[in-house]
Amino acid sequence: QTNMLDFVFAVDDAVTWHMMNLLKNRSHYSFLKFFGPKKISNIQRYGAGIYYNTLVPCNDRIIKYGVISTDALIEDLFHWKTLYVAGRLQKPVKILAQNENSRLQAALVSNLKSAVTAAFLMLPESFSEEDLYMQIAGLSYSGDFRMIIGEDKSKVQNIVKPNIAHFQKLYSTILQDCPQVVYKHHLGRLEASIDKSPEGQFTQLMALPKTLQQKITALVNPPGKNRDVEEILLQVAHDPDCGFVVHQG
């Protein structure tokens, strides 16, 4: 009852959506309501591409809701442009309604596959199912300044431990299709043996989202050197600290 419910609405036409919402729920908005739907939609494009109304009373609960354009959501899911909404969707969420958008469907699956790939690169050769979900749930917090300066360090554990069954449901299809994983579904656990050879790591690095590849490239490539991404990722694949470089990225 005391937890704030967090909603995200992906909308095809943000201006029209805000226009209708201002008519129905004007009190939800800050002073920005005086600037109108077009200005709010422009502000929405900045940062993570999501606009939030917070501390909204609803059915005896306090909720907040973010509005993101479908295109911005798809971009984040495929390429991890900011990892803000993509990071949330790597964890179990309740999808209340969804229209038939095949590109969005593909992007949702791509985001989960990318999360597994990144986690594999950061984990040792063998690990438990819980280790995998801890690593995935921690992805979106790796670069979160609040976590560095001391917001609840057990936050990731609190997300994973009570929700193992939901994580299993979310990732079981991807893990079953993954040749490196023996998924013992009847036992509710997986056994993984990750290929940590340079060739294996290079394949995984090449499968990472574009933005993360660029971040890794920027970390490893000294200024003035004009090497392509593939060449740099091959170098990272041979690095014993490959997993740490991915984490830094």
Side-chain angles (χ1 to χ4, degrees), residues 174-191:
I174 288 162
L175 293 172
Q176 280 164 3
D177 292 344
C178 188
Q180 295 166 309
V181 172
V182 179
Y183 196 65
K184 300 192 170 176
H185 199 68
H186 60 291
L187 296 174
R189 74 169 207 265
L190 59 82
E191 285 178 9

Side-chain angles (χ1 to χ4, degrees), residues 75-142:
E75 173 84 2
D76 198 34
L77 291 167
F78 273 129
H79 304 305
W80 289 6
K81 194 177 175 190
T82 68
L83 197 59
Y84 188 80
V85 181
R88 284 156 185 253
L89 290 168
Q90 288 161 3
K91 305 172 189 79
V93 299
K94 174 79 172 166
I95 295 178
L96 298 173
Q98 196 176 342
N99 63 11
E100 296 299 313
N101 183 329
S102 57
R103 199 158 158 263
L104 178 56
Q105 276 301 126
L108 286 163
V109 174
S110 171
N111 180 43
L112 298 180
K113 285 181 177 174
S114 297
V116 169
T117 303
F120 281 175
L121 281 160
M122 290 189 272
L123 284 161
E125 251 175 281
S126 58
F127 48 84
S128 71
E129 189 169 13
E130 190 176 309
D131 292 338
L132 174 63
Y133 300 143
M134 288 286 287
Q135 193 73 59
I136 288 171
L139 284 175
S140 53
Y141 296 116
S142 308

Side-chain angles (χ1 to χ4, degrees), residues 18-29:
H18 284 297
M19 183 177 75
M20 292 169 72
N21 199 41
L22 279 162
L23 290 171
K24 288 182 83 167
N25 301 303
R26 194 171 175 80
S27 63
H28 294 183
Y29 289 80

Side-chain angles (χ1 to χ4, degrees), residues 12-247:
D12 294 343
D13 180 351
V15 178
T16 303
W17 195 92
H18 284 297
M19 183 177 75
M20 292 169 72
N21 199 41
L22 279 162
L23 290 171
K24 288 182 83 167
N25 301 303
R26 194 171 175 80
S27 63
H28 294 183
Y29 289 80
S30 67
F31 69 92
L32 289 171
K33 59 176 160 271
F34 299 111
F35 293 103
K38 209 163 191 179
K39 186 71 178 171
I40 292 168
S41 299
N42 286 338
I43 290 165
Q44 186 180 305
R45 291 197 190 102
Y46 289 100
I50 188 164
Y51 174 89
Y52 260 97
N53 282 332
T54 60
L55 300 173
V56 176
C58 177
N59 293 359
D60 301 324
R61 293 287 292 265
I62 298 293
I63 71 163
K64 59 177 177 174
Y65 61 90
V67 185
I68 188 168
S69 80
T70 310
D71 287 344
L73 173 58
I74 289 169
E75 173 84 2
D76 198 34
L77 291 167
F78 273 129
H79 304 305
W80 289 6
K81 194 177 175 190
T82 68
L83 197 59
Y84 188 80
V85 181
R88 284 156 185 253
L89 290 168
Q90 288 161 3
K91 305 172 189 79
V93 299
K94 174 79 172 166
I95 295 178
L96 298 173
Q98 196 176 342
N99 63 11
E100 296 299 313
N101 183 329
S102 57
R103 199 158 158 263
L104 178 56
Q105 276 301 126
L108 286 163
V109 174
S110 171
N111 180 43
L112 298 180
K113 285 181 177 174
S114 297
V116 169
T117 303
F120 281 175
L121 281 160
M122 290 189 272
L123 284 161
E125 251 175 281
S126 58
F127 48 84
S128 71
E129 189 169 13
E130 190 176 309
D131 292 338
L132 174 63
Y133 300 143
M134 288 286 287
Q135 193 73 59
I136 288 171
L139 284 175
S140 53
Y141 296 116
S142 308
D144 189 334
F145 184 65
R146 292 169 305 170
M147 295 300 274
I148 297 161
I149 60 166
E151 191 178 281
D152 189 7
K153 283 286 195 300
S154 58
K155 191 169 186 173
V156 175
Q157 209 166 25
N158 293 342
I159 290 168
V160 174
K161 280 195 178 294
N163 288 299
I164 291 282
H166 295 297
F167 273 97
Q168 285 175 331
K169 196 174 173 188
L170 192 58
Y171 285 98
S172 64
T173 307
I174 288 162
L175 293 172
Q176 280 164 3
D177 292 344
C178 188
Q180 295 166 309
V181 172
V182 179
Y183 196 65
K184 300 192 170 176
H185 199 68
H186 60 291
L187 296 174
R189 74 169 207 265
L190 59 82
E191 285 178 9
S193 182
I194 303 305
D195 183 359
K196 290 288 177 182
S197 70
E199 297 76 21
Q201 295 195 137
F202 179 64
T203 302
Q204 290 171 342
L205 287 163
M206 288 300 289
L208 290 173
K210 187 173 68 181
T211 309
L212 181 51
Q213 287 182 343
Q214 289 166 349
K215 296 281 183 193
I216 292 167
T217 303
L219 281 171
V220 177
N221 201 29
K225 283 267 188 116
N226 199 12
R227 297 185 297 162
D228 65 20
V229 172
E230 199 166 324
E231 192 184 337
I232 293 155
L233 293 181
L234 188 58
Q235 179 192 323
V236 174
H238 283 81
D239 189 332
D241 290 327
C242 173
F244 179 71
V245 176
V246 174
H247 179 86

